[in-house]
Amino acid sequence: MLYREDIEKREDMLLSERAVKSSQTKGRAIYEEPCKFRTEFQRDRDRIIHSKAFRRLMHKTQVFLSPEGDHYRTRLTHTLEVTQVARTIARNLNLNEDLTEAIAMGHDLGHTPFGHNGEMVLNQLHPGGFKHNEQSLRVAEVLECTPSRRGMNLTFEVRDGIKNHTGSLPAATLEGQIVKISDRIAYINHDIDDAVRSGVITVDDLPKSALELFGYGHRERIDCMVSNVVSFSDGKDFVKMDEEHSEQLNLLRSFMFANVYKSDKVKKEEDLLKVEVVISSLYDYFLKHPDKIPEELRMLIDKDGVDTIVKDYIAGMTDRFAINLYSELFVPKGWK
């Protein structure tokens, strides 16, 4: 039988000196007695997986709005693919896989309905703006609650990795940096896969220099990117690709923005207008009727302000919940 102390001893003996050991965590905002069997980072991972916010990711858009077909990625499958890539990199760099997995599982908890389009609308509506990484941290620290606890009370290292999985600031740990590059590797590749499947682009449309470096197949490209991250970062105090691979990855990213993410073939103008109408209408409605917000959020209004709580409520919605709620509030019954 393995106990937590045994796992911690294994980490101390086997993991790289650059890894964050579970026994060396900076801890939680509120102290908790250690678990008999699980390390602190394993506990964080489990809390995230069992959260309501994590379950809602299965009904949140990744790229394609209301896709016809069962094989397109959602925000949940994106999260799982990021986690798989990140664990592979962490394992091969001999860093802490459990910490890496916890950060990866939680990095998109605060994402809006309707993908980045929903994020852009909320960013325009909310006085404080909106960034999904900051909202993911707020979900973990405040919004996800049980009858006995508000917030998940995650460790410092997991919270830091969630907040800094995107943006200009690096995560404080190499495990957090792994999640940041894994997020980009995962979404660029799986979004290419979805875009090719939908007929929006073909593989031959992709930049030739990137294909020649990374490969023409989905698995081949991911393998090349992961291998480069591991080989270039081994023994160093950072996790990233070398300059050549980074340039080509950014070239693929630019191509995807121009030809997929902002393409009217993927997101028709009328669908984008619908997203704006749904989110802005719900936002205005709950500003005027805060009493209609669920009690577990409503009780935070005095502390955080009604604008923030309305933002929290809408950001937490799934695509279908937002659409159904909009229909219930604004569409006459006879028109349905």
Side-chain angles (χ1 to χ4, degrees), residues 255-281:
F255 172 87
M256 292 297 289
F257 268 95
N259 295 278
V260 177
Y261 302 143
K262 296 183 178 181
S263 169
D264 56 10
K265 294 180 181 178
V266 176
K267 297 169 181 175
K268 300 181 177 65
E269 184 176 355
E270 59 265 30
D271 289 335
L272 297 180
L273 289 174
K274 290 175 185 177
V275 169
E276 184 174 357
V277 168
V278 168
I279 291 182
S280 60
S281 297

Side-chain angles (χ1 to χ4, degrees), residues 64 72 191-203 205 259-260 263 265-266:
F64 289 81
Y72 293 95
D191 291 348
I192 289 173
D193 190 47
D194 280 352
V196 170
R197 178 181 293 108
S198 69
V200 172
I201 62 172
T202 68
V203 172
D205 293 328
N259 295 278
V260 177
S263 169
K265 294 180 181 178
V266 176

Side-chain angles (χ1 to χ4, degrees), residues 173-237:
T173 66
L174 294 182
E175 288 84 357
Q177 293 179 36
I178 286 174
V179 173
K180 187 170 188 174
I181 187 64
S182 298
D183 185 30
R184 182 162 293 194
I185 290 172
Y187 78 69
I188 288 175
N189 281 287
H190 66 51
D191 291 348
I192 289 173
D193 190 47
D194 280 352
V196 170
R197 178 181 293 108
S198 69
V200 172
I201 62 172
T202 68
V203 172
D204 291 336
D205 293 328
L206 297 170
K208 186 175 180 181
S209 58
L211 292 176
E212 290 176 345
L213 181 64
F214 295 128
Y216 284 77
H218 178 71
R219 289 179 293 178
E220 185 182 1
R221 287 192 295 273
I222 293 178
D223 181 68
C224 178
M225 293 177 188
V226 169
S227 297
N228 184 258
V229 171
V230 171
S231 61
F232 187 63
S233 306
D234 186 34
K236 299 185 177 71
D237 291 323

Side-chain angles (χ1 to χ4, degrees), residues 121-323:
V121 175
L122 264 187
N123 186 51
Q124 294 168 356
L125 291 171
H126 182 56
F130 184 91
K131 294 181 179 179
H132 77 271
N133 58 319
E134 295 176 355
Q135 188 68 16
S136 294
L137 183 62
R138 180 166 169 80
V139 169
E141 292 184 334
V142 178
L143 301 180
E144 185 71 29
C145 60
T146 67
S148 61
R149 182 183 66 219
R150 178 163 289 283
M152 298 188 205
N153 196 31
L154 303 179
T155 58
F156 164 82
E157 293 81 5
V158 174
R159 289 184 285 116
D160 171 82
I162 288 173
K163 181 179 180 181
N164 293 305
H165 81 270
T166 188
S168 58
L169 295 178
T173 66
L174 294 182
E175 288 84 357
Q177 293 179 36
I178 286 174
V179 173
K180 187 170 188 174
I181 187 64
S182 298
D183 185 30
R184 182 162 293 194
I185 290 172
Y187 78 69
I188 288 175
N189 281 287
H190 66 51
D191 291 348
I192 289 173
D193 190 47
D194 280 352
V196 170
R197 178 181 293 108
S198 69
V200 172
I201 62 172
T202 68
V203 172
D204 291 336
D205 293 328
L206 297 170
K208 186 175 180 181
S209 58
L211 292 176
E212 290 176 345
L213 181 64
F214 295 128
Y216 284 77
H218 178 71
R219 289 179 293 178
E220 185 182 1
R221 287 192 295 273
I222 293 178
D223 181 68
C224 178
M225 293 177 188
V226 169
S227 297
N228 184 258
V229 171
V230 171
S231 61
F232 187 63
S233 306
D234 186 34
K236 299 185 177 71
D237 291 323
F238 57 76
V239 177
K240 59 185 179 181
M241 292 180 179
D242 64 28
E243 185 175 352
E244 178 186 15
H245 286 72
S246 292
E247 287 179 356
Q248 293 303 316
L249 184 65
N250 288 332
L251 183 62
L252 278 179
R253 185 172 182 268
S254 298
F255 172 87
M256 292 297 289
F257 268 95
N259 295 278
V260 177
Y261 302 143
K262 296 183 178 181
S263 169
D264 56 10
K265 294 180 181 178
V266 176
K267 297 169 181 175
K268 300 181 177 65
E269 184 176 355
E270 59 265 30
D271 289 335
L272 297 180
L273 289 174
K274 290 175 185 177
V275 169
E276 184 174 357
V277 168
V278 168
I279 291 182
S280 60
S281 297
L282 292 175
Y283 191 91
D284 290 342
Y285 176 84
F286 287 109
L287 278 181
K288 296 173 183 175
H289 303 90
D291 57 302
K292 302 297 184 182
I293 296 173
E295 183 179 0
E296 67 180 42
L297 285 175
R298 193 169 67 245
M299 62 192 300
L300 296 173
I301 289 178
D302 288 343
K303 177 178 179 292
D304 296 331
V306 66
D307 284 289
T308 294
I309 302 309
V310 170
K311 175 264 297 179
D312 291 338
Y313 185 37
I314 293 175
M317 295 178 182
T318 63
D319 295 23
R320 66 182 184 181
F321 182 86
I323 292 170

